[in-house]
Amino acid sequence: MNRPILRAEAIVIRKDGLAVLVQCDKQESFYRFPGGDVEFGETAAEAIKRELIEEFDLQSEIGSLACLNESIVEYDGKKRHDCTILHWGSINDAQIHENLNHNEREEIKLTWRTFEQLKQKPLYPEGILDFLLDRVVTVSHLVIRKSYDE
């Protein structure tokens, strides 16, 4: 039986409020928040901290829960259900001038992008940009259901 994949990611807004920390490929064909899969026995906040250290040697402070995103997608006759727990987070902004390269995957980087830049490419999880632009302060539950087989 397939089970949902549980991910944890941090929404880090630069101290000046004008940019968000995102992970992307070198071509910036997409954006997503830093984090990764939650391992058995750790909390979402612990997973985010661990992933940032492992992948980018980056210390972080992980704060309150921002939202829960569930993405239920059908493609090529398969079904995938991802649950992403997003927390508010912070880092020392001075640690990232241009970008940080991933320690294990050279095609991945961490960088600051403005809200206007985030509108130009896909941002995952889907629906999160509206959440950020609307400056939602209550914990939200975003549900995305899509089928690419139709």
Side-chain angles (χ1 to χ4, degrees):
M1 173 189 233
N2 288 343
R3 296 180 185 259
I5 295 170
L6 182 60
R7 291 188 45 83
E9 297 176 355
I11 301 172
V12 178
I13 298 178
R14 199 168 59 199
K15 283 182 181 52
D16 64 11
L18 300 177
V20 179
L21 189 65
V22 291
Q23 194 172 315
C24 58
D25 58 7
K26 295 287 184 193
Q27 297 77 31
E28 298 191 29
S29 60
F30 69 92
Y31 298 116
R32 68 175 180 229
F33 298 104
D37 292 346
V38 177
E39 294 181 358
F40 185 81
E42 72 182 351
T43 66
E46 291 166 343
I48 295 164
K49 285 182 144 189
R50 175 184 51 76
E51 290 283 349
L52 283 169
I53 289 170
E54 287 177 3
E55 296 177 352
F56 299 101
D57 298 320
L58 191 60
Q59 296 292 325
S60 62
E61 293 295 323
I62 304 303
S64 63
L65 185 64
C67 71
L68 171 66
N69 172 269
E70 288 190 79
S71 176
I72 304 164
V73 179
E74 295 181 43
Y75 62 98
D76 297 332
K78 300 174 191 165
K79 293 182 181 181
R80 181 179 172 121
H81 185 169
D82 294 343
C83 292
T84 304
I85 301 169
L86 292 108
H87 279 268
W88 296 109
S90 63
I91 62 162
N92 177 350
D93 289 10
Q95 291 181 282
I96 303 177
H97 300 289
E98 294 287 324
N99 56 62
L100 282 179
N101 291 320
H102 194 287
N103 289 332
E104 300 162 354
R105 298 180 57 197
E106 65 182 40
E107 73 278 7
I108 301 294
K109 67 181 181 178
L110 199 59
T111 190
W112 294 107
R113 289 296 171 252
T114 65
F115 292 100
E116 285 304 312
Q117 288 171 310
L118 294 177
K119 292 177 184 178
Q120 305 305 314
K121 308 274 175 78
L123 173 64
Y124 300 102
E126 290 183 57
I128 196 69
L129 186 57
D130 289 337
F131 170 84
L132 292 173
L133 293 172
D134 291 345
R135 306 250 188 244
V136 176
V137 292
T138 58
V139 176
S140 297
H141 183 193
L142 308 175
V143 178
I144 304 298
R145 291 181 187 268
K146 282 194 167 184
S147 177
Y148 294 98
D149 288 342
E150 298 170 350

